[in-house]
């Protein structure tokens, strides 16, 4: 499996895309329905107090009170605040919908050839893909779109999964084994397969994905629920803080209008994070989809941010799938070049990965030129009985292979018992100890040396594991190798732990054990035997190429089938939580400036001394209150891009990350509104709005 | 401000910091049920108490059973104290022949002592008999203090334990706390106070003839023993009306200094108990550091305000700061320091009249209490109050590192946040809500001694003090009215138990959770960054709510004073 291939991502729609913004504006008004808004308590409270002030405004207009223009402006901006919040959510949903529509297009057009009986693939009827039920059997021929998720029960075909994965290279799907699963919406390129549909329309991966990115099936995640509780708590506290003020004012011999009280209340309650909370959640899911990973729930994305331990399969993830030659060690009396030449010649016609890697090594490392093989050369293929391969060229009989077999061949050729050179044995032992595979090299009766074959760790994984360690995540390698080999590769790749000679039960036991110690585990897997472990893991990423069982067991599906992507999945999860935390901090920190804007203005009529608290030097009490309200509304719009894009995650350790975010969103959250409100006040004053 | 003043402040802090790990180690042993050096004497007594009470010391309770046991215990305590107050005329040890305390005042006083508030709407020497002082008040001083401590310990166990169903045994904890911690310290402390000149007698009041020939009755009694636990247990209810300003309750500068130490010592040590029990003492030090920052900020402002006095006083030629309402034997620094300490902790003993402080000087005690007395705080109550803020802080800021927030290995989730918010929001509700009624409801307004912002401050201070279970008063206000007796009792009761029950629910929820081992990705809660963050959240979430009220009280009064008008 290649990891270096360029990942094709879903098209990214920009924020200013009219196709998203225009419907979102419409949606902002639709979402004013209190029955919709009640799911977001802070916004619901905001709408209720806005309604109250609207009624009071209407009363004042009818009765002809004073300061109606000021009141009107406050009411208008309060409505804008609600609309901006709705707009944020609508934009996030709109972006998800845009992706979902592309996906849906493939599905609605699909016609299926449903078989009357599974035994006879010739007799079928044409039905719409939507009418298929789990258990139906369909036949898919060249250029047919597979109508739904299922398992191949007969045949083999190459399938283009670009609609789902964006990867244009076709993949082979065949009945039986680990590659029998097909996904609805993919296209058969050649041959013919009979597929048993495993999910009814409306529950296939595609459908689930559509619903999730659209936000239709969005449920609040545990962390969102906790955060909502915090925001509700803060809102209640500010109810007490503002509702008691009229009585204090009465004592001081003044009075404060309801509109001003509402203005103070609205600026204090955490409207910023309240407005952006659901947009952040939807955008997080959206980012994952863009990375070609389907999450079955928002909860899974959140859990990804919390992962402590990552379980990775060695083959394909940490190492290239095949063993490669890395060194040729000659015995004394043989030069390096001589041995390398022999190795090249012996492997010249060997088309296995190992053979090719020997040829490559001889050329690259030992500068042996590859010449056309002698005309009389006869290639000896590897066989399980001799465990040797090589070439016979005239008098030269070159062989490479298992150590015992090489020694045996040398003795036969020499016709006598020749002693094994001590240096040869030493090199063999050294390679074995390092977890590699020694390959003997012999010419006629003469032992030339040893070729070191080893599992080569992919070049970039070590850095990625180091990055994970800085994130506080432990990596564990799972391999079927013996413990010696496993330990060697583990240390080379820089993983923190490994499970050698791993059986499915071992994986499951390891996961349970780690979970018992309070850790959250992520793993990826593709085979049916991975299903129990995938189900047990907190974040189980199933490969798109994997079996149906594996995909059902995981809570995410990676459409690129790239196991190293777990790292990005974790980052996306962390980004989601960070964005929430940062905007909450920002929202709460904003309150400081708002107090300083509104309190002196509010009490100016009866305690003019409190003017010293007007540190921003806002021109009039009305302008101060209006500026605070306008800032409060505009900051929502200003932060929508950040909410959708997410706060950038860097693996620099929690302490450094906290310091950085605290500086930007905490201190920034205190300072920015002082500047912002002052600036708005200047504009408001210049325009004579208050 | 003087050098000797600063030396006294620094010395005070240094001694508290030095005592914290020593006492913390001892208290941890006591609550872990380990053997201590006092065991040869106290262990038989402890065993006997369990046998008499039918307590199985090996069995433990879940958070609910623990809380219910605590509440039942308080019902009993209330009934006894209320009965003693009502029937004191018929009971012995009453040399001054005090008569029955009226029902509303008895109710207020009983709730007050039960909740560790010790708000006193009466004068001790003119209202209560020796029996009530000893059996009623001193007894509750011990038990309300022990209750606060054991609840904090139960919450600590919630953090420290993993996958556990229980948080301890209330009966065992309260017995061990009283026997091994409060009693031994109080015995030594009482002897010290007697040496300093505080009376300890069951004899009747002394009649003296003054130089002018007038007859004066000098109140005495079993004072030293009550003062010891009043300070150590952050109760604050004075034997005499003048509290720690009275020469028989606080005769010397040394007794004053040691009394200040005794207010903080147990509360500070509990932060160390927390650190030890969760397996990292630095966690405890971080909490103490956050408390220290808030404390020192308060001391500096209060000392500065009092030492500078007011421009009105200065223009009259009265240099040397604001000495109004302060005892000459203590002076400005010891009075300002005492005021900050007593309100930072939920003690409420006073050695000067807070009402006579400058506007800003008097605002500091007010802010201390409005934050919920989490700066060291009431014994136990300060720590669990602080931990509630820690939960909010960790939840908000912890997300910023990209993980579900954790604190000392425990994930902070919806239930913890809900309970913490439930507890925290009760402070503004009671403090601001009752003040809103108190400043406009005519029968309440009649109690105010001063007009304008100062009168407002008096009412705000009263409800803040009662809700926070402090018990100190801004004097001036006439508290012994039906309205204040009843509304105050409600504020004290809710302020105490509406905090305790959610805190205990958190203890139960946390104990049941697995413990997450720390990693590089874990939000660090031991460094200066966390301390700063915690202080910030406390001030913004806990403090800003009171900004409008403070603006209308002390702040506007200060500004008016600068302009030359007083109230």
């Amino acid at each position: 499996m290649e990891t270096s291939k360029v990942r094709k991502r879903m098209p990214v729609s920009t924020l200013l895309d009219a196709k998203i913004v225009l419907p979102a504006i419409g949606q902002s008004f639709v979402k004013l329905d209190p029955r919709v808004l009640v799911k977001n308590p802070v916004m619901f409270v905001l709408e209720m107090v806005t309604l109250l002030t609207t009624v009071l405004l209407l009363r004042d207009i009818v009765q002809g009170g004073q300061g109606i223009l000021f009141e009107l402006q406050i009411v208008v901006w309060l409505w804008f605040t609600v609309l901006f919040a709705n707009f944020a959510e609508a934009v996030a949903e709109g972006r998800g919908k845009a992706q979902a529509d592309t996906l849906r297009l493939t599905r609605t057009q699909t016609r299926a050839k449903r078989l009357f009986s599974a035994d006879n693939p010739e007799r079928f009827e044409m039905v719409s893909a939507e009418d298929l039920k789990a258990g139906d059997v369909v036949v898919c021929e060249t250029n047919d779109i597979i109508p739904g998720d299922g398992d191949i029960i007969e045949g083999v075909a190459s399938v283009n999964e670009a609609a789902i994965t964006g990867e244009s290279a076709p993949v082979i799907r065949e009945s039986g084994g680990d590659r029998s699963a097909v996904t609805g919406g993919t296209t058969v390129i050649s041959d013919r397969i009979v597929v048993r549909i495993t999910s009814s329309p409306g529950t296939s991966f595609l459908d689930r994905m559509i619903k999730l990115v659209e936000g239709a099936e969005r449920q609040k995640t545990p962390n969102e629920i906790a955060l909502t509780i915090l925001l509700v708590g803060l809102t209640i506290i500010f109810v007490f803080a503002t509702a008691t003020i009229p009585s204090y004012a009465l004592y001081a011999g003044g009075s404060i209008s309801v509109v001003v009280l509402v203005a103070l209340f609205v600026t204090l309650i955490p409207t910023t994070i309240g407005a952006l909370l659901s947009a952040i959640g939807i955008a997080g899911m959206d980012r994952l989809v863009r990375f070609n990973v389907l999450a079955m729930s928002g909860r899974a994305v959140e859990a990804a941010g919390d992962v402590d331990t990552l379980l990775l399969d060695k083959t394909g993830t940490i190492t290239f799938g095949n063993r490669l030659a890395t060194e040729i060690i000659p015995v004394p009396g043989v030069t390096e070049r001589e041995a390398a030449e022999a190795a090249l010649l012996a492997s010249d016609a060997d088309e296995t990965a190992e053979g090719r890697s020997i040829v490559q090594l001889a050329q690259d490392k030992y500068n042996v030129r590859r010449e056309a093989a002698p005309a009389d050369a006869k290639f000896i293929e590897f066989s399980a009985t001799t465990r040797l391969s090589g070439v016979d060229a005239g008098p030269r009989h070159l062989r490479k292979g298992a150590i015992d077999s090489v020694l045996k061949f040398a003795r036969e050729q020499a016709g006598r018992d020749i002693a094994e050179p001590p240096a040869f044995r030493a090199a063999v032992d050294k390679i074995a100890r390092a977890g590699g595979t020694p390959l003997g090299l012999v010419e006629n009766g003469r032992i030339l040396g040893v070729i070191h074959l080893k599992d080569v760790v992919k070049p970039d994984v070590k850095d990625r594991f180091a990055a994970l360690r800085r994130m506080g995540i432990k990596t564990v390698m799972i391999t079927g190798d013996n413990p010696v080999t496993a330990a060697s590769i583990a240390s080379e790749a820089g993983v923190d732990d490994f499970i050698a000679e791993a059986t499915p039960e071992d994986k499951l036991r390891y996961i349970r054990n780690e979970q018992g110690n309070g850790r959250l585990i992520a793993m990826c897997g593709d085979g049916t035997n991975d299903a129990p472990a995938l189900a047990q893991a907190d974040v189980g990423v199933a490969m798109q190429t994997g079996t149906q069982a594996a995909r059902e067991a995981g809570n995410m599906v990676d459409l690129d089938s790239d196991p190293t992507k777990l790292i990005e999945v974790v980052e996306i999860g962390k980004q989601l939580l960070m964005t929430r935390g940062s905007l909450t901090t920002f929202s709460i920190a904003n309150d400081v400036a708002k107090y300083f804007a509104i309190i002196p203005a509010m009490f100016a009529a009866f305690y003019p001394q409190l003017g010293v608290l007007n540190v921003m030097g806002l021109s009039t009490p009305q302008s101060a209150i209006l500026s605070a309200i306008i800032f409060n509304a505009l900051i929502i719009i200003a932060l929508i891009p950040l909410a959708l894009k997410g706060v950038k995650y860097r693996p620099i350790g929690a302490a450094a990350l906290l310091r950085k975010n605290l500086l930007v969103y905490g201190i920034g959250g205190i300072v920015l509104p002082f500047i912002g409100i002052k600036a708005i006040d200047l504009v408001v004053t210049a325009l004579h709005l208050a | 401000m003087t050098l000797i003043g600063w030396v006294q402040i620094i010395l005070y802090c240094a001694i508290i910091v030095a005592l914290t790990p020593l006492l913390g180690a001892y208290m941890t042993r006591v609550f872990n049920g380990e053997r201590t050096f006092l065991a040869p004497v106290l262990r038989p007594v402890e065993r006997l108490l369990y046998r008499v009470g039918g307590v199985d010391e090996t069995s433990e309770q879940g958070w609910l059973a623990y809380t219910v046991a605590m509440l039942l215990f308080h019902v009993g305590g209330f009934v006894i104290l209320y009965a003693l107050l009502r029937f004191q005329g018929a009971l012995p040890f009453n040399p001054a022949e005090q008569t029955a305390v009226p029902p509303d005042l008895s109710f207020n006083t009983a709730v007050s002592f039960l909740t560790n508030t010790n708000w006193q709407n009466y004068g001790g020497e003119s209202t209560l008999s020796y029996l009530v002082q000893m059996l009623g008040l001193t007894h509750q001083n011990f038990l309300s203090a022990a209750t606060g401590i054991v609840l904090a310990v139960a919450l600590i166990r919630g953090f420290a334990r993993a996958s556990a169903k229980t948080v301890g045994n209330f009966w065992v904890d309260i017995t061990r706390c009283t026997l091994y911690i409060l009693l031994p310290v109080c015995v030594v402390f009482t002897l010290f106070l007697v040496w300093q000149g505080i009376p300890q007698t069951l004899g009747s009041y002394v009649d003296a003839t003054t130089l002018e020939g007038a007859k004066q009755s000098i109140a005495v009694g079993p004072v030293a023993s009550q003062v010891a636990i009043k300070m150590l247990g952050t109760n604050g209810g004075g034997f005499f009306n003048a509290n720690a300003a009275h020469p028989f309750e606080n005769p010397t500068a040394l007794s004053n200094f040691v009394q200040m130490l005794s207010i903080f010592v147990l509360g500070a040590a509990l932060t160390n108990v927390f650190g030890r029990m969760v397996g990292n003492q630095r966690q405890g030090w971080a909490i103490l550091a956050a408390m220290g920052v808030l404390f020192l900020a308060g001391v500096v402002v209060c000392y500065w305000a009092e030492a500078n006095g007011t421009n009105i006083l200065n223009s009259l030629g009265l240099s040397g700061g604001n000495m109004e309402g302060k005892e000459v034997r203590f002076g400005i620094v010891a009075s300002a320091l005492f005021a900050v300490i007593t309100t930072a902790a939920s003690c409420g003993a006073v050695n000067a009249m807070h009402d006579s402080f400058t506007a800003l000087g008097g605002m500091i005690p007010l802010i201390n209490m409005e934050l919920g007395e989490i700066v060291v705080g009431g014994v136990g109550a300060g720590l669990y109050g602080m931990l509630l803020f820690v939960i909010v802080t960790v939840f908000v800021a912890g997300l910023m590192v990209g993980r579900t927030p954790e604190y000392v290995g425990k994930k902070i989730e919806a239930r913890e946040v809900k309970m913490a918010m439930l507890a925290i929001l009760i402070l503004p509700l009671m403090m601001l809500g009752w003040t809103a009624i108190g400043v406009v409801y005519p029968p309440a307004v009649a109690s105010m001694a001063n007009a304008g912002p100062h009168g407002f401050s008096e009412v705000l201070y009263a409800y803040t003090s009662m809700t926070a279970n402090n018990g100190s008063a801004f004097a001036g206000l006439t508290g012994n009215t039906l309205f204040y007796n009843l509304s105050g009792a409600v504020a004290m009761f809710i302020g105490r138990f509406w905090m305790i029950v959610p805190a205990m629910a958190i203890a139960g929820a946390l104990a049941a959770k697995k413990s997450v081992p720390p990693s590089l990705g874990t939000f660090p809660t031991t460094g200066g960054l966390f301390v700063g963050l915690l202080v910030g959240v406390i001030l913004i979430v806990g403090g800003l709510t009171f900004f409008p009220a403070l603006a209308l009280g002390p702040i506007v009064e200060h500004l008016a004073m600068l302009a030359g008008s007083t109230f």
Side-chain angles (χ1 to χ4, degrees), chain B residues 319-351:
Chain B
S319 61
N322 172 27
M323 274 301 288
E324 182 194 313
K326 294 188 178 62
E327 292 293 304
V328 179
R329 68 183 183 282
F330 303 137
I332 285 177
V333 70
S335 301
L337 188 59
F338 197 107
V340 178
I341 293 168
T342 196
T343 51
S346 121
C347 183
V350 288
N351 74 351

Side-chain angles (χ1 to χ4, degrees), chain A residues 39-339:
Chain A
K39 283 183 200 152
N40 187 340
V42 178
M43 287 301 119
F44 181 72
V45 169
L46 173 60
E47 187 177 34
M48 290 301 113
V49 296
T50 306
L51 272 176
L52 172 71
T53 51
T54 312
V55 170
L56 291 174
L57 172 73
L58 293 176
R59 185 200 64 184
D60 287 353
I61 290 173
V62 171
Q63 294 181 349
Q66 280 186 332
I68 284 180
L69 186 66
F70 168 69
E71 228 172 278
L72 176 72
Q73 290 187 70
I74 295 280
V75 170
V76 167
W77 280 104
L78 286 177
W79 279 114
F80 273 141
T81 315
V82 185
L83 288 172
F84 290 170
N86 288 345
F87 178 72
E89 192 180 88
V91 167
E93 285 176 356
R95 278 153 50 105
K97 272 204 183 76
Q99 287 188 24
D101 287 344
T102 328
L103 294 166
R104 189 181 282 120
L105 218 54
T106 59
R107 212 178 66 79
T108 46
Q109 292 164 347
T110 310
R111 306 283 294 168
K113 296 170 182 167
R114 183 164 65 189
L115 299 184
F116 292 111
S117 126
D119 311 325
N120 186 352
E122 303 305 327
R123 294 191 58 231
F124 57 79
E125 56 177 341
M126 294 299 290
V127 294
S128 162
E130 312 229 337
D131 297 334
L132 290 176
K133 288 185 290 293
D136 280 349
V137 179
V138 296
V139 62
C140 301
E141 293 165 308
T142 307
N143 293 332
D144 281 352
I145 291 174
I146 297 174
D149 294 354
D151 268 320
I152 300 175
I153 53 176
E154 194 187 315
V156 52
S158 60
V159 177
N160 181 351
E161 298 191 335
I164 305 284
T165 62
E167 175 61 57
S168 55
V171 291
I172 300 295
R173 295 282 179 232
E174 61 191 333
S175 62
D178 281 357
R179 294 188 297 173
S180 65
V182 288
T183 310
T186 56
T187 313
V188 176
I189 296 187
S190 70
D191 305 293
R192 188 170 102 143
I193 45 174
V194 178
V195 176
R196 186 187 301 280
I197 299 297
T198 49
S199 58
S200 305
T203 61
S204 75
F205 280 101
L206 203 56
D207 294 280
R208 265 188 254 175
M209 176 163 154
I210 289 170
K211 283 195 179 132
L212 279 168
V213 292
E214 280 184 342
E217 264 192 6
R218 232 175 76 75
Q219 285 182 321
K220 282 204 177 110
T221 62
N223 180 260
E224 261 178 311
I225 293 171
L227 189 53
T228 306
I229 291 171
L230 179 86
L231 300 181
V232 169
L234 289 174
T235 308
I236 296 174
I237 287 177
F238 291 122
V239 169
F240 301 151
T242 43
T244 49
I245 290 179
S247 155
Y248 302 166
L250 191 67
Y251 169 81
S255 74
I256 290 162
S257 78
V258 175
V259 174
V260 171
L261 274 180
V262 166
L264 176 67
F265 176 67
V266 169
T267 50
L268 294 183
I269 61 173
T271 47
T272 313
I273 179 66
L276 298 172
L277 189 55
S278 60
I280 294 169
I282 297 168
M285 193 76 104
D286 203 39
R287 270 198 296 280
L288 208 54
V289 172
R290 243 174 234 144
F291 251 103
N292 283 345
V293 177
L294 296 193
M296 297 300 134
S297 67
R299 185 187 285 254
V301 188
E302 213 165 74
D306 275 354
V307 160
D308 302 281
T309 307
L310 221 53
L311 255 51
L312 296 166
D313 264 321
K314 181 200 80 174
T315 311
T317 310
I318 295 169
T319 63
F320 295 106
N322 309 302
R323 290 175 305 180
L324 305 175
T326 56
E327 197 183 5
I328 299 170
I329 309 168
V331 295
V334 179
T335 65
E336 234 178 31
R337 190 175 170 81
E338 204 180 333

